[in-house]
Amino acid sequence: MATSKILYMKDCGKSFHGKHLKVALDYITDKEKTQDGRLIGAVNCQPDFAFEQMKATKRKYNKIDKRQAYHLIISFKEGEVSPDTAFELTQKFVEAYLGTQYEAVYAVHDNTNHIHSHIVFNSVNF
């Protein structure tokens, strides 16, 4: 049975709005953890440009400070799923629950004994 947790990313201040968002997106899309990027997907944005696209949405609605994003982690038991199954489940979840209102990037990490998915989505819906 999968477990999950959600993390909230606050703004780090005036020096670099969105620093935590940028760090989180870079972390989840690490090519060494995602089969050279094969296990990375997104809705309403492009993974390589997600930070810029999310920041543009924040500027459009004048919400560049405070909470930047949400980071959801879904962990599977060792041997419970294959990386491709985890990717498919994560993709369906993101499309069903975030796809009509949010920019989101998701990735499956298979570099540990237990496969797990990361979802980072903009705190501002469009």
Side-chain angles (χ1 to χ4, degrees):
M1 173 184 274
T3 60
S4 63
K5 67 178 171 180
I6 191 162
L7 307 169
Y8 306 97
M9 277 177 260
K10 292 183 178 182
D11 191 29
C12 64
K14 298 179 189 221
S15 62
F16 180 11
H17 287 296
K19 178 180 178 182
H20 298 298
L21 172 60
K22 176 80 169 112
V23 168
L25 289 169
D26 289 346
Y27 173 76
I28 74 166
T29 59
D30 183 332
K31 297 202 183 292
E32 290 182 18
K33 299 175 183 180
T34 60
Q35 294 184 8
D36 200 31
R38 190 179 76 79
L39 300 173
I40 298 170
V43 295
N44 303 314
C45 62
Q46 297 173 339
D48 291 339
F49 304 103
F51 177 72
E52 292 82 5
Q53 291 170 318
M54 290 182 188
K55 293 299 291 179
T57 299
K58 291 175 183 307
R59 281 191 296 275
K60 180 179 179 180
Y61 294 102
N62 197 28
K63 294 185 176 187
I64 62 167
D65 59 353
K66 300 185 181 163
R67 184 164 291 146
Q68 294 296 298
Y70 299 93
H71 183 172
L72 180 64
I73 302 167
I74 304 169
S75 298
F76 299 93
K77 288 183 181 177
E78 190 173 341
E80 184 175 23
V81 295
S82 69
D84 290 328
T85 299
F87 186 81
E88 182 181 343
L89 291 170
T90 304
Q91 179 179 35
K92 287 180 179 181
F93 175 86
V94 170
E95 289 173 355
Y97 292 101
L98 303 171
T100 61
Q101 298 181 41
Y102 293 93
E103 296 149 319
V105 177
Y106 55 92
V108 171
H109 288 185
D110 68 348
N111 62 319
T112 63
N113 290 336
H114 66 284
I115 293 169
H116 56 283
S117 301
H118 293 269
I119 303 165
V120 173
F121 63 99
N122 197 345
S123 60
V124 178
N125 76 37
F126 54 81

